[in-house]
Amino acid sequence: MKRRTAFFVVLLIALVLIVIGAARGDLSLIFNFGRFICFDCIGIS
Amino acid sequence: MRRIIQSLSALLMNSFFFLKPSEGVTLYQGKLKSVCVPILNCYSCPLAWGSCPIGSVQQTLKLMKVPYFVFGFFGAIGAFVGRWACGNLCPFGFIQEMLYKIKTVKIRIRRIFRLNKYVVLALTLSLPLILHEPVFCKYLCPAGTVEASIAQIAMNPLLLQTVGFIFFLKAAIAVVFVAGSISMKRFFCVLFCPIGALYGLFNRVSLLQIKYDESKCVKCGICNRVCPMDINIYENQTDYDCIRCFECVDKCPYGALKKSTLFTSPASQEKNSSRI
């Protein structure tokens, strides 16, 4: 596959995944992880 | 110019200066936390506005859900700029480049060891499904220790009572990280970073490219010496370790390397260079 074609294929798949993720509520899931201290991340758990 | 962008990026992503530890505000908790930043930046850092993409991926996988949005986000960034974000936006990469400036014995990382980050990536994506915990964040990532642990404990001394083996393990990893970064070029990015590993896969098809003119190259090695990732760009312009910092392009005295895109035709490239 030519690299230019591959670029468009990758971009299209990425955009489809973003739309699916947004529709399934991934953003609120990320928000819920991010708004609290991740004790695993800072080594306290 | 890149140093200014790196500094601004580090500051912009970590500029929540409205902490009130006495009132329990030790972290930004607003709506922007639903947005991932395109690089490694611990979302438990008290000053962070956004969420770390690799942390978000693991937390989602831990719940046995597919992180569609973050995978799409990685794909979109990768498709447009490949690893450019590593070289220009990542505060952690910036820290490593500054540490490498310390004068001491320098060590080169052999090519074969560079594949280690793909092992880390595979484990980062698979182990949360099996162990139901964010394994990379919990056991390896030094960003959490450097950016978040110390600050969070300083603001909330009660956390000290819960410090255990994991904390000391991560503190030891942070010390290794600092020592490694002083003696090796972008030690963590080259060997361990799963985000860099992911973006590196897109370098071949990304919009942003480097064009190499073999007829102008004298193989002087300047590009390799100035490269923060210690790669030979004239051997492979789509190397998965190229962070698109363009240090090689700026420093090549023969003009053999140029910034380019997938859609720049050789003819227009030549026309532009002759105009300059």
Side-chain angles (χ1 to χ4, degrees):
Chain A
M1 198 192 306
K2 283 177 71 176
R3 284 164 62 191
R4 289 176 192 182
T5 315
F7 162 74
F8 283 116
V9 170
V10 169
L11 191 59
L12 183 70
I13 294 171
L15 294 177
V16 168
L17 288 175
I18 287 174
V19 171
I20 294 174
R24 288 169 54 104
D26 282 9
L27 288 175
S28 57
L29 204 60
I30 295 167
F31 175 62
N32 283 329
F33 301 139
R35 64 193 288 232
F36 301 110
I37 296 173
C38 168
F39 290 104
D40 285 329
C41 307
I42 64 173
I44 299 168
S45 55
Chain B
M1 185 64 186
R2 190 168 71 92
R3 291 280 178 256
I4 296 170
I5 295 173
Q6 283 178 309
S7 311
L8 282 177
S9 165
L11 191 66
L12 274 175
M13 287 180 203
N14 300 292
S15 58
F16 180 68
F17 297 116
F18 311 104
L19 302 165
K20 290 175 189 158
S22 56
E23 294 172 27
V25 183
T26 59
L27 190 74
Y28 170 69
Q29 294 184 304
K31 280 285 175 194
L32 280 175
K33 272 285 171 78
S34 58
V35 180
C36 286
V37 291
I39 39 78
L40 192 76
N41 193 60
C42 187
Y43 50 38
S44 291
C45 170
L47 306 177
W49 289 98
S51 286
C52 173
I54 209 71
S56 302
V57 162
Q58 288 184 97
Q59 298 283 7
T60 311
L61 289 171
K62 185 179 95 172
L63 301 175
M64 303 302 279
K65 290 184 175 176
V66 182
Y68 292 104
F69 183 86
V70 189
F71 282 157
F73 178 75
F74 277 131
I77 302 272
F80 279 112
V81 293
R83 276 191 83 169
W84 178 87
C86 301
N88 294 275
L89 302 181
C90 185
F92 216 55
F94 181 45
I95 291 171
Q96 289 172 80
E97 286 183 26
M98 292 299 108
L99 286 171
Y100 189 75
K101 285 185 181 292
I102 296 171
K103 292 203 178 343
T104 180
V105 179
K106 303 296 180 190
I107 302 165
R108 297 194 74 170
I109 302 169
R110 291 185 63 177
R111 185 88 192 153
I112 187 79
F113 297 127
R114 290 169 178 260
L115 292 170
N116 182 62
K117 59 182 164 293
Y118 287 97
V119 176
V120 174
L121 174 64
L123 294 175
T124 301
L125 297 180
S126 58
L127 288 181
L129 294 167
I130 302 163
L131 302 174
H132 304 291
E133 54 184 19
V135 175
F136 173 75
C137 298
K138 187 171 180 178
Y139 298 106
L140 184 63
C141 183
T145 320
V146 173
E147 294 175 5
S149 294
I150 298 161
Q152 289 295 355
I153 289 172
M155 285 190 290
N156 187 359
L158 282 175
L159 287 176
L160 263 180
Q161 293 170 7
T162 55
V163 160
F165 170 74
I166 303 286
F167 178 82
F168 292 109
L169 172 76
K170 290 199 70 175
I173 289 173
V175 172
V176 171
F177 159 76
V178 172
S181 302
I182 291 171
S183 54
M184 286 171 253
K185 284 184 174 179
R186 282 202 174 224
F187 168 72
F188 181 78
C189 310
V190 169
L191 295 175
F192 301 105
C193 185
I195 299 179
L198 250 175
Y199 283 146
L201 297 173
F202 297 98
N203 267 358
R204 193 166 163 69
V205 298
S206 70
L207 188 63
L208 193 63
Q209 293 289 331
I210 289 178
K211 174 115 176 93
Y212 169 62
D213 187 342
E214 197 174 358
S215 64
K216 291 181 180 171
C217 180
V218 296
K219 308 263 188 309
C220 60
I222 289 175
C223 51
N224 174 256
R225 281 202 294 279
V226 298
C227 178
M229 294 293 279
D230 205 16
I231 57 172
N232 282 323
I233 197 70
Y234 57 81
E235 287 175 358
N236 181 8
Q237 295 80 58
T238 58
D239 193 301
Y240 58 79
D241 265 346
C242 176
I243 53 172
R244 302 287 190 243
C245 64
F246 301 118
E247 291 285 344
C248 54
V249 174
D250 295 339
K251 302 283 164 52
C252 177
Y254 305 99
L257 296 161
K258 294 220 166 354
K259 291 174 190 171
S260 174
T261 72
L262 265 186
F263 299 95
T264 312
S265 66
S268 67
Q269 186 89 27
E270 201 54 51
K271 209 171 154 187
N272 285 340
S273 61
S274 63
R275 219 178 269 160
I276 294 162

